[in-house]
Amino acid sequence: MFEFHQDKRVYFDYQYRTAKEYILPYVRRHHPLPTDSKVLEIGCGEAGVLKAFLEENCRCVGIELHESRIETAKSFMPEPVASGQLQLIARNIYDIDPEKELDFRFDLIILKDVIEHIPNQDRFMHFLQAFLAPGGVVFFAFPPWYMPFGGHQQICRNKWLSKLPYYHLLPTPLYHQVLRWGGESAQTIQELREIKDTGISIERFEQIVHKRNYKVLQRQIFLINPIYQFKFGWAPRTQNTILSKLPYVRDFLSTAVYFLVTKK
């Protein structure tokens, strides 16, 4: 596990800077955000991404499963919480009825490094439409399952396992055995198992998008994930144009993909 995974303030700053310098400009290039846009982030963690949108006078809502992360987010941004510009909710998204519990639908919904954790992504994509305002868009960023660290093995405490690429693609029993040999806890192994069960490729994501009556406004595949600039000092780099057109092959040689989609 890298040190920044344990330092919530540092990781909050990485998320904020990534949103400020890459996600917000990416969204605006393809979908202008009007003044006072309503923005929802699902799986917001400490809400570093939302900070960039708060600075643009957006009204933001963050939903997160873990109450401790919501409490940390509140401690990092007390002023927008107190003013009502930022609402933070510790609940499962499926337990929220937007018709009854929210005052508005959203011009932008953000899922950054979240869709790969969600079981039954087909069902989720259909459910998500109830939160989207007419003409609204959804931004997705995720590591394709087949990429070097698509299994999120970087969260391992064993320094070798946290830096070893591609072994998440091993058959499940062997993968678990490797994690046990490395001394990983039962909790970490369970978390990595869930990611292995739900990990999503670029191709399967696009199939679900079309099946659930969305259209892709823009897709950008990265050889070097933008957040790596802040984590490791590596300059972001998009994938080769020819390689990006090769299904499945491109998944193995990318570290992130950005999508902007809307309802047809």
Side-chain angles (χ1 to χ4, degrees):
M1 180 180 288
F2 294 98
E3 290 184 6
F4 53 72
H5 287 127
Q6 298 175 302
D7 190 324
K8 298 301 183 184
R9 172 61 75 174
V10 169
Y11 202 68
F12 172 90
D13 185 60
Y14 288 170
Q15 297 287 359
Y16 162 67
R17 294 167 69 187
T18 302
K20 183 82 170 177
E21 297 183 29
Y22 296 101
I23 296 175
L24 181 57
Y26 179 84
V27 172
R28 279 189 162 153
R29 278 199 302 271
H30 309 290
H31 183 80
L33 285 172
T35 302
D36 196 33
S37 289
K38 312 300 190 296
V39 177
L40 167 66
E41 185 178 11
I42 298 171
C44 67
E46 291 74 35
V49 169
L50 287 178
K51 181 182 177 184
F53 290 88
L54 290 168
E55 291 178 348
E56 301 298 317
N57 297 314
C58 296
R59 187 170 176 185
C60 297
V61 176
I63 298 174
E64 166 62 43
L65 273 174
H66 299 97
E67 187 169 358
S68 62
R69 301 190 75 179
I70 287 293
E71 292 305 313
T72 301
K74 290 178 180 178
S75 72
F76 286 167
M77 294 185 289
E79 292 84 3
V81 171
S83 70
Q85 187 186 3
L86 173 62
Q87 181 182 5
L88 295 166
I89 302 169
R91 289 174 66 187
N92 189 314
I93 186 69
Y94 283 122
D95 295 334
I96 296 175
D97 184 344
E99 293 277 347
K100 298 178 180 178
E101 300 182 62
L102 299 175
D103 296 331
F104 42 77
R105 300 296 177 270
F106 296 92
D107 305 297
L108 171 64
I109 299 175
I110 299 169
L111 290 99
K112 182 183 181 297
D113 298 329
V114 170
I115 190 67
E116 72 273 20
H117 295 272
I118 297 176
N120 197 341
Q121 289 131 346
D122 190 332
R123 173 196 175 206
F124 173 77
M125 291 290 285
H126 176 71
F127 177 77
L128 192 62
Q129 294 182 13
F131 293 81
L132 199 59
V137 297
V138 188
F139 170 82
F140 293 91
F142 63 91
W145 169 247
Y146 298 106
M147 77 90 150
F149 293 90
H152 286 55
Q153 58 265 46
Q154 66 270 18
I155 72 171
C156 290
R157 292 191 176 275
N158 182 294
K159 65 178 182 179
W160 301 109
L161 293 184
S162 69
K163 297 175 176 63
L164 183 65
Y166 292 117
Y167 73 95
H168 62 289
L169 301 177
L170 291 168
T172 299
L174 182 55
Y175 181 47
H176 285 185
Q177 188 60 56
V178 170
L179 293 170
R180 286 192 289 269
W181 286 337
E184 296 303 323
S185 67
Q187 181 180 351
T188 297
I189 293 173
Q190 177 62 29
E191 183 176 351
L192 293 174
R193 168 61 188 269
E194 290 173 358
I195 295 168
K196 190 171 179 65
D197 290 341
T198 58
I200 191 165
S201 65
I202 296 171
E203 291 70 28
R204 188 160 66 83
F205 178 81
E206 291 182 336
Q207 290 169 5
I208 295 171
V209 163
H210 294 301
K211 178 182 177 182
R212 286 306 180 183
N213 206 35
Y214 292 90
K215 64 179 178 181
V216 175
L217 297 175
Q218 181 63 24
R219 183 190 72 195
Q220 183 67 67
I221 304 175
F222 292 93
L223 179 66
I224 304 297
N225 190 333
I227 201 172
Y228 288 1
Q229 176 179 343
F230 310 113
K231 288 182 176 181
F232 310 119
W234 301 348
R237 184 175 174 184
T238 57
Q239 199 177 71
N240 176 277
T241 302
I242 296 175
L243 184 61
S244 70
K245 297 181 184 300
L246 297 177
Y248 295 104
V249 174
R250 60 194 175 192
D251 292 59
F252 285 91
L253 299 172
S254 62
T255 56
V257 59
Y258 283 7
F259 275 96
L260 198 67
V261 309
T262 190
K263 291 167 62 176
K264 290 182 180 175

